[in-house]
Amino acid sequence: MCNDLAKHYQQILLGLGEDPEREGLRDTPMRAAKAMQYLCNGYEKSLDEIVNNALFESSSEEMVIVRDIELYSLCEHHLLPFIGKAHVAYIPTGKVLGLSKIARIVDMYARRLQIQENLTRQVAEAVQSVTGAAGVGVVIEAKHMCMMMRGVEKQNSVMTTSAMLGSFRRSGNTRQEFLQLIRNH
């Protein structure tokens, strides 16, 4: 597959008017192909594989928050990066998820061609399905290179998206507690 991608990158270089055989570009098609495979390795993973049975019995019914999970993704419209952080919270109902698994879930979905709105919902639904939580809240804040490097070229713009499921959607108090806790750090 990498060789096929490399051939396409070579065609892109030719289409841009470049010489893929010049010294600085000779290995670029293969490097770009390997980079794209890495940046999109979320397609190779499944939720079951990521979680790997890391659910643990717990009597806790209080909100669990993992804040400031860095994420790197590619905009599906322009294939340019968007970079930011995710804040994920859930209210357990007898089981808690291993801490690193939440970050791995974010990575799995971020490492696919995406739009931020879908990424936010996918993370929330995945945490909900794995934990059976009473509620899940996800907020993602990201800077999009497709808006910064091209088009309107707004360097300081940040997009914020949220997905609120279960008690986070039904209860204004639960939602407010989550939003207040991620703001006060």
Side-chain angles (χ1 to χ4, degrees):
M1 176 143 146
C2 207
N3 286 332
D4 289 340
L5 282 175
K7 289 176 190 172
H8 292 292
Y9 277 110
Q10 184 168 22
Q11 290 304 307
I12 290 169
L13 290 172
L14 288 168
L16 292 172
E18 267 292 354
D19 174 9
E21 294 304 317
R22 76 173 171 84
E23 182 182 352
L25 293 178
R26 205 168 293 132
D27 297 324
T28 296
M30 185 57 76
R31 284 192 299 263
K34 288 177 180 177
M36 186 59 79
Q37 277 189 313
Y38 179 79
L39 295 173
C40 293
N41 69 17
Y43 293 114
E44 301 165 6
K45 298 175 180 168
S46 73
L47 193 54
D48 288 340
E49 174 190 349
I50 292 293
V51 172
N52 194 25
N53 296 315
L55 275 173
F56 307 102
E57 298 288 328
S58 173
S59 60
S60 174
E61 295 177 349
E62 299 300 321
M63 190 180 302
V64 175
I65 301 174
V66 183
R67 196 176 62 210
D68 296 328
I69 303 166
E70 61 204 47
L71 67 87
Y72 308 92
S73 193
L74 290 174
C75 162
E76 67 185 33
H77 299 141
H78 301 100
L79 300 182
L80 290 173
F82 64 94
I83 300 165
K85 57 188 173 182
H87 313 287
V88 180
Y90 69 100
I91 298 177
T93 55
K95 294 195 181 283
V96 293
L97 185 58
L99 179 61
S100 72
K101 303 308 180 182
I102 293 173
R104 291 180 193 280
I105 289 170
V106 170
D107 282 346
M108 180 182 77
Y109 289 109
R111 294 295 184 161
R112 299 175 181 186
L113 300 179
Q114 277 290 8
I115 61 172
Q116 184 174 328
E117 298 89 336
N118 291 349
L119 172 59
T120 308
R121 167 112 355 232
Q122 289 166 347
V123 170
E125 289 174 350
V127 171
Q128 176 69 52
S129 75
V130 167
T131 63
V136 176
V138 176
V139 171
I140 294 180
E141 304 166 274
K143 290 186 166 216
H144 292 250
M145 295 303 129
C146 56
M147 191 165 169
M148 296 170 69
M149 294 176 66
R150 54 160 301 283
V152 296
E153 296 184 33
K154 299 301 175 204
Q155 304 308 307
N156 297 307
S157 60
V158 176
M159 181 177 183
T160 302
T161 51
S162 69
M164 305 292 171
L165 306 178
S167 59
F168 283 79
R169 177 172 287 285
R170 288 188 306 274
S171 168
N173 288 339
T174 301
R175 186 171 44 257
Q176 279 309 111
E177 178 184 352
F178 169 51
L179 295 174
Q180 192 66 37
L181 287 168
I182 64 173
R183 282 189 205 119
N184 291 338
H185 64 283

